[in-house]
Amino acid sequence: MDASKNGRNPRGPQPHTPTRARTGILLSAAAALMAAAIPASASQPTPAPTPDPVVVDCFSKGQVRPDEYLLACGDGNNRLVDLRWNTWGPKTATATGTDMVNDCRPYCAAGRFRPYPVTVTLSDPQPWPDHPNTQRFATIRLLYTDTAPAPIPKDVTYKLVYDTPTPTPTP
């Protein structure tokens, strides 16, 4: 029961304690953080950026900015090495490097690999089947900056062929 006649606490006003002050500060800070977080969480999420295309190697692995790239998957007689990529974007990728080409003289097993400085451009990104949301470059251009291996022209473009043929059913 209240001992005072006016309905107030008989002990008088409670002193301001440090614990109460800390609690108030913490509650105010939490409220401010919640208020700041609400607009951020209420905004529409931005879609993830589409990854840049890959170049598919001889082992069907997607590569980004590879140091080397084997052009002759069957016999290994033509390989791009020391690739230094200047750009790698959604439409094209460019690099400088060296094309190591086997001269196959007198025959390939006895031939020597000869270096040819080259500028490489990858282009024509296409969807990569069975790899959702991934594109692969479908064209490679080699621009030889000095001499080109005979009988290759100094500026040549190749279609990068990756797909394995569909098996034909046998009767």
Side-chain angles (χ1 to χ4, degrees), residues 1 13 24 37 71 112-113 116 135 167:
M1 227 195 240
L71 290 169
R112 291 184 45 207
F113 281 87
Y116 297 90
Q135 299 227 329

Side-chain angles (χ1 to χ4, degrees), residues 29-96:
L33 285 172
M34 292 295 289
I38 289 171
S41 63
S43 67
Q44 293 294 327
T46 56
T50 304
D52 287 336
V54 299
V55 61
V56 179
D57 66 15
C58 293
F59 305 102
S60 298
K61 302 288 182 200
Q63 303 284 323
V64 176
R65 297 179 183 261
D67 296 330
E68 295 187 0
Y69 186 77
L70 187 60
L71 290 169
C73 293
D75 59 14
N77 284 322
N78 191 343
R79 173 187 297 271
L80 299 171
V81 298
D82 300 324
L83 293 173
R84 291 172 305 284
W85 294 95
N86 303 313
T87 64
W88 193 285
K91 300 289 181 197
T92 62
T94 59
T96 57

